[in-house]
Amino acid sequence: MPRSVRARRGNGLYLQIYPSSLENASRMGKIGRAAQDSGVFSATHLVGVGTGLEPAEEDLGAGLLVVRLPARKFSGGTLGRVLRVAVWYSRVLGRYGREPVSLIAAHSVWVLPLCWVLSKRTGSKLIYNAHELETETISMFGMKKKIAQRIEALLIGRCAVVSVVNEPIAEWYEHRYGMSRPVVVGNTPVMVDSHEGLRERLGVGPDPLLFIHTGHLVVGRNIPLILKAFHGSPHHLVFLGDGPYKDDIVKAGQRSPNIHWLPPVPHDRIVSNVREADVGLCLIEIHQDLSDQLSSPNKLLESLAAGIPALCTDLVEARRLMGELAEGWILSDPETELSTVLETIDRSRVTVFKQAWGGLPSWDEEVASWVQAITGVVGPSAPPRGVMPHEVDLRQD
């Protein structure tokens, strides 16, 4: 462990544990930085799974460290996956079971048992930072869902602080478990104010409307539908990101010069790029699971943080955030509505939205109540330095 982030006696660690390689853990990084900048913890570790493709440790500076502990691969389907998780659990316990830990955060329902055991072993406090409606996602069904629901029901009451990403999810947890309302930490992007020259890079003049889609180019985001709708449109469209649909987008751009692709950029430059477009796209596919319906995707928040309208799937949080301005920008059925709505969008509609939009809270404002909650649980061990507007870039979401 680098000496700069080794825990000092009497001043404990803050652990954030999530069962992934932490390649796209920008939210964990932002929350971890806010906790570390409070002055309460000697160091903050983001603990994930090592795959051998990323560094085992990344020192992000000022007491923030990414730690990836390896998990052995086993053959044998479900049994193999269970054994792999068990090995990783044991390595997390082995690494931190004797460390001076002050606070442990489970960032997934599946690590709640591990974090609870570790909190008992170290005498530390346990908190739960849910990234979504954990037990109600599309991947949760059958016995898997029942196990996840049981884990959450058993352990959520043992957490000193529970935080979620938006108000609709906070309301769901409050009513589901009869608990105090969780602390809401919205995922407002942290950004730098810079000129990206987006239109110049694309060769798009000032007159056409430019639509932008950010993030991973994967299934579930209506990308084939979007490509079809923009083929032959007077509007321009740029995808800023990477993923399996990249080749399809590049080919579509060869057929339709108004369709463009650009590689991903660091997290703190996404909003600067979006600000130079006119309309954001957040057309995620809503399935039957509540987690999708109550989600607040980064695409939505990046558009609103940039001060431009988001053409969006009918999400509860989109309607809550945009209020009366949501009219005309929310699609109940993108498959039947998108092409028609694109014909009605012009610069005057965009201007009306931009002039009326009041903006999102800053990241500092979003995270302040959470920092106050966790420092109240742990107790100050050093004079607080406040929550600083730092962004931790662990690649683009």
Side-chain angles (χ1 to χ4, degrees), residues 4-5 13 33 36 41-45 59-65:
S4 63
V5 294
L13 289 166
R33 173 58 67 197
Q36 185 60 25
F41 305 103
S42 61
T44 294
H45 290 191
D59 188 350
L60 302 176
L64 195 62
L65 183 73

Side-chain angles (χ1 to χ4, degrees), residues 265-340:
V265 298
H267 281 281
D268 59 0
R269 287 176 50 204
I270 296 175
V271 174
S272 296
N273 277 272
V274 174
R275 189 182 292 120
E276 296 178 14
D278 298 295
V279 180
L281 292 177
C282 180
L283 299 175
I284 68 166
E285 298 171 24
I286 300 180
H287 303 282
Q288 296 304 311
D289 58 283
L290 275 172
S291 187
D292 274 348
Q293 296 168 22
L294 301 184
S295 65
S296 47
N298 286 340
K299 296 168 183 45
L300 170 65
L301 300 178
E302 287 157 2
S303 297
L304 297 181
I308 66 172
L311 192 58
C312 188
T313 309
D314 197 352
L315 301 172
V316 174
E317 184 68 350
R319 288 192 178 276
R320 187 187 74 83
L321 289 172
M322 291 194 281
E324 294 180 357
L325 294 176
E327 186 65 31
W329 297 106
I330 299 289
L331 304 185
S332 299
D333 184 1
E335 190 167 347
T336 61
E337 298 176 46
L338 179 57
S339 294
T340 302

Side-chain angles (χ1 to χ4, degrees), residues 213 218-228 239 245 282-286 313 333-335 338:
H213 179 286
V218 295
V219 172
R221 304 186 176 187
N222 272 314
I223 290 175
L225 176 66
I226 292 170
L227 292 175
K228 181 179 178 181
F239 290 88
Y245 275 113
C282 180
L283 299 175
I284 68 166
E285 298 171 24
I286 300 180
T313 309
D333 184 1
E335 190 167 347
L338 179 57

Side-chain angles (χ1 to χ4, degrees), residues 10 31 72 169 207 222 284 362:
I31 289 177
R72 283 185 57 190
I169 291 178
D207 296 329
N222 272 314
I284 68 166
S362 69

Side-chain angles (χ1 to χ4, degrees), residues 36-37 90 150 285 291 311 341 392:
Q36 185 60 25
D37 284 344
S90 68
R150 186 62 175 161
E285 298 171 24
S291 187
L311 192 58
V341 169
V392 179

Side-chain angles (χ1 to χ4, degrees), residues 79-330:
L79 178 59
R81 289 192 293 272
V82 170
L83 290 173
R84 184 171 185 267
V85 169
V87 168
W88 184 70
Y89 271 33
S90 68
R91 285 176 173 162
V92 174
L93 292 171
R95 170 71 182 262
Y96 292 104
R98 296 181 181 275
E99 290 286 332
V101 179
S102 294
L103 187 66
I104 300 171
H107 278 255
S108 161
V109 66
W110 297 117
V111 295
L112 261 175
L114 166 64
C115 294
W116 178 72
V117 171
L118 187 56
S119 72
K120 290 299 181 184
R121 184 172 294 187
T122 58
S124 59
K125 299 290 186 179
L126 173 66
I127 65 174
Y128 186 24
N129 292 336
H131 288 203
E132 55 189 337
L133 202 51
E134 292 280 332
T135 63
E136 308 299 319
T137 67
I138 192 171
S139 66
M140 291 289 192
F141 56 88
M143 185 56 66
K144 179 181 178 182
K145 180 169 184 171
K146 291 179 181 178
I147 293 171
Q149 289 175 328
R150 186 62 175 161
I151 289 172
E152 196 171 73
L154 283 172
L155 296 179
I156 198 167
R158 306 185 187 195
C159 297
V161 176
V162 177
S163 68
V164 296
V165 297
N166 63 38
E167 293 291 348
I169 291 178
E171 183 178 359
W172 185 92
Y173 272 104
E174 181 181 19
H175 291 307
R176 176 63 176 263
Y177 296 111
M179 60 188 289
S180 298
R181 195 176 186 87
V183 179
V184 174
V185 186
N187 206 23
T188 301
V190 176
M191 50 194 152
V192 295
D193 188 12
S194 64
H195 177 68
E196 301 293 334
L198 182 64
R199 286 179 178 266
E200 294 92 328
R201 290 155 64 197
L202 299 174
V204 177
D207 296 329
L209 288 181
L210 177 59
F211 290 66
I212 188 166
H213 179 286
T214 58
H216 281 165
L217 307 174
V218 295
V219 172
R221 304 186 176 187
N222 272 314
I223 290 175
L225 176 66
I226 292 170
L227 292 175
K228 181 179 178 181
F230 275 87
H231 177 67
S233 170
H235 307 313
H236 280 253
L237 164 67
V238 59
F239 290 88
L240 187 68
D242 211 344
Y245 275 113
K246 173 193 168 183
D247 290 344
D248 291 338
I249 292 166
V250 171
K251 290 176 183 177
Q254 293 169 351
R255 297 189 299 270
S256 303
N258 64 314
I259 296 175
H260 312 270
W261 173 82
L262 288 174
V265 298
H267 281 281
D268 59 0
R269 287 176 50 204
I270 296 175
V271 174
S272 296
N273 277 272
V274 174
R275 189 182 292 120
E276 296 178 14
D278 298 295
V279 180
L281 292 177
C282 180
L283 299 175
I284 68 166
E285 298 171 24
I286 300 180
H287 303 282
Q288 296 304 311
D289 58 283
L290 275 172
S291 187
D292 274 348
Q293 296 168 22
L294 301 184
S295 65
S296 47
N298 286 340
K299 296 168 183 45
L300 170 65
L301 300 178
E302 287 157 2
S303 297
L304 297 181
I308 66 172
L311 192 58
C312 188
T313 309
D314 197 352
L315 301 172
V316 174
E317 184 68 350
R319 288 192 178 276
R320 187 187 74 83
L321 289 172
M322 291 194 281
E324 294 180 357
L325 294 176
E327 186 65 31
W329 297 106
I330 299 289

